[in-house]
Amino acid sequence: MKSSWDNKEAKKCGNNLLKMRVYTSHLLGKEEDLVMHGGGNTSVKIREQNIFGESEDILYVKGSGWDLATIEAPGFTPVKLSALHQLAQLALLSDMDMVKYQRMAVTDPSAPNPSVEAILHGIIPFTFVDHTHADAVVTITNTPGGRKRIEEIYGDRMLIIPYVMPGFILAKTIYQMTRNIDWTSVDGMILLNHGVFTFDDDPKKSYEKMIGVVTKAERYLKRKGALPVKGAKPSKPNYIRLAEIRNRVSEMTGKPVLAKLDQSRASVAFSKLKNVKSISNRGPITPDHIIRTKRVPVCFTKNYTRDLEKFESAYDQYFEKYSRGEQKLDVAPRWGILPGIGTLSFGPTIKHVRIIEDIARHTKKAISQAEHLGGWRALGQKELFEMEYWSLEQAKLKKAGPSKTLQGKIAVVTGAASGIGKACIASLVNEGAVVAALDIDRKIKSLFTQPGILALQCDVTKQKDVDKCIERIVEAYGGIDYLITNAGIFPKSARIADMDHDVWEKSMAINVTSHQRILQSCVPFLELGFDPAVVIIGSKNVPAPGPGASAYSVAKAGLTQLGRVAALELGSKGIRVNIIHPNAVYDTGIWTDEVLKARADQYGLSIEEYKTNNVLKTEVKSRDVADLAVAMLGPLFSKITGAQLPVDGGNDRVI
Ligand code: ZN
């Protein structure tokens, strides 16, 4: 690992110690091999004057809910150092009391709760204290004879602390171990199975000591050999099976989850290890990962149902054995191994899934490396249970807030690059679903780039295109719950007598046949979906056709009939199919001001009058249609199938 210290950047902090603390915290936070997703913490001690003019030593320590990579000055909580010293001297202190008394010592009521390691930071007599969960160091400690190896690597310049629970007990243990030591004789501390502390009065030295410690561990691991990733080609997954797994894991979780397949070379190489089942079943890198990943992943065989049952009963036994009346968490795995194929990460949102995927990636690497050091040996189950059910750890997860209506749901929308389709994407994302946005237009890929939207170029009239897209969707999310089939064209107006055969055929191909095909391809996945539903975008032309639009109206009428038959056929499988008939939605690309004006002139109306030419005298927008479509997918329409709803501001011919 290389130091990222930049003199120019550091100079910008001037003599401001807190600014400097922010700067070096970012340096640590950007290294995934040091800390991930809220792990690790840092602090700085600053002498300040309070409003009474008295001099006071204040510990600015990372507040809970902040991440080292992105922390800013308000993320550091100011705590009176004297109070932390007093707390360290207590014989006993419960977690709840520790939180309470730390809070009482905070000098700014608007600051977040200080880190659970605040007391420990307080007793280390240096201005800057850096703490990480460095993979390389923890990996070495998670092996047989780990402590001895650490002694070999670092000599007596590092204090070695046996594993104890983070929080007061850890602070107390270190307080007692260090009462009579000369702090200048050590560069830092290695906490077995947990992480590293370095410290110094100089911020650069403290940071670079961390880099130095980690580099030594990395070199040691490299000498011992690393996981070969060459030739790690994945086998093709069975997509239905992936959807079945996601369905079953959702049931175990008690709510729909996403399942993302990782087929990176490292992931595939790991999944191909002969002893993958045994080595992946021993525990996480560092205990605070357990709240995200659970203790172990599930390793799949051919019989995934039995694998998940076994996982569940093993979790039950683990809970029974160690619980002291805690409320049991859900029994579902957070990640899984598909031997020869890759790994799967499960979570209710794409953010959760990515966090788990990141941690799993580091875990796989650490386990593989430890195999060269005599085997992966994580912390014992009892210690891990304490961490998993520690209220202060669980509090981290509760910060997420209430979940959205369609959280964990997977939707497919066709014709997504403009108009109603594009508005459906916005509405689905707003309700918490992840989406696959399909469109023939290549610009679809640049249109949606945020996580949780899989943009795919797709000609829905080509079966090959559709099949490929469905595979990509199942790899990215694990299945399909919803389909909004919207792709369509409005062919040039022509009377039947003058109809061009190609125009007719094209309208049929896009406006009706392509919908049948994508629906057919999605059905096996919808059957495995969570409260699955389909919405078909029809047209006002179905109940109220007009002359000159036969190619469009006939196709849309056929599409409507397809929806009605689908409602009959799929109802017994729990799949709802409903139809929307929009009319006069003018906020789409086709309706430029010029076109609108020409149309309005034709009827002797102003543009405004033309747009609101309906019973309610209101303008119908793409967003109105999209919101209705998404509502029809959701719980409000859970008892409705085969329905047709107009969204047209009221049309006298339809009414
Ligand atoms: Zn820690």
Side-chain angles (χ1 to χ4, degrees), residues 125-140:
F126 290 94
T127 310
F128 287 88
V129 176
D130 296 11
H131 168 50
T132 73
H133 298 158
D135 284 356
V137 178
V138 186
T139 298
I140 295 170

Side-chain angles (χ1 to χ4, degrees), residues 39-41 116-117 131-133 166 170 191 194-197 286 288 387:
N41 39 58
V116 294
E117 316 284 24
H131 168 50
T132 73
H133 298 158
L170 176 61
L191 282 56
H194 175 169
V196 186
F197 273 84
T286 176
D288 78 336
M387 201 63 185

Side-chain angles (χ1 to χ4, degrees), residues 251-268:
E251 277 174 14
M252 289 167 81
T253 312
K255 59 185 180 189
V257 295
L258 313 172
K260 184 171 182 294
L261 181 63
D262 177 358
Q263 289 200 297
S264 62
R265 287 163 72 118
S267 179
V268 176

Side-chain angles (χ1 to χ4, degrees), residues 1-6 27 31 204 207-208 211 215:
M1 187 170 285
K2 290 215 165 67
S3 167
S4 307
W5 182 270
D6 180 342
L27 297 184
E31 286 288 352
K204 186 182 179 193
Y207 163 71
E208 289 190 341
I211 301 299
T215 305

Side-chain angles (χ1 to χ4, degrees), residues 76-247:
F76 285 95
T77 304
V79 199
K80 288 182 185 174
L81 196 57
S82 56
L84 293 173
H85 277 278
Q86 275 183 301
L87 288 174
Q89 285 162 42
L90 292 175
L92 268 177
L93 188 64
S94 72
D95 293 336
M96 298 319 274
D97 281 345
M98 181 182 80
V99 171
K100 189 168 91 181
Y101 290 110
Q102 282 187 0
R103 186 78 232 172
M104 282 166 68
V106 171
T107 61
D108 175 359
S110 67
N113 268 338
S115 156
V116 294
E117 316 284 24
I119 299 175
L120 175 50
H121 280 259
I123 59 174
I124 298 173
F126 290 94
T127 310
F128 287 88
V129 176
D130 296 11
H131 168 50
T132 73
H133 298 158
D135 284 356
V137 178
V138 186
T139 298
I140 295 170
T141 78
N142 286 359
T143 60
R147 185 190 174 114
K148 236 178 135 202
R149 292 174 197 278
I150 292 290
E151 284 167 353
E152 244 174 71
I153 300 168
Y154 299 105
D156 51 10
R157 293 297 301 173
M158 295 298 281
L159 266 180
I160 299 173
I161 317 287
Y163 180 82
V164 269
M165 268 280 278
F168 180 73
I169 317 169
L170 176 61
K172 183 80 199 166
T173 305
I174 293 177
Y175 175 72
Q176 276 166 343
M177 282 178 72
T178 56
R179 273 166 80 178
N180 300 315
I181 70 152
D182 170 11
W183 279 92
T184 57
S185 69
V186 291
D187 294 327
M189 298 188 283
I190 305 244
L191 282 56
L192 298 179
N193 311 100
H194 175 169
V196 186
F197 273 84
T198 55
F199 29 77
D200 204 288
D201 289 332
D202 179 280
K204 186 182 179 193
K205 282 186 183 157
S206 181
Y207 163 71
E208 289 190 341
K209 278 179 189 171
M210 180 65 74
I211 301 299
V213 168
V214 175
T215 305
K216 274 190 179 170
E218 285 179 342
R219 285 198 186 131
Y220 181 86
L221 287 172
K222 211 173 172 189
R223 278 205 303 277
K224 301 286 173 183
L227 174 73
V229 291
K230 270 182 198 160
K233 268 199 179 152
S235 314
K236 201 175 160 76
N238 175 332
Y239 291 94
I240 289 291
R241 192 159 163 244
L242 287 182
E244 285 169 344
I245 289 175
R246 180 242 171 189
N247 172 292

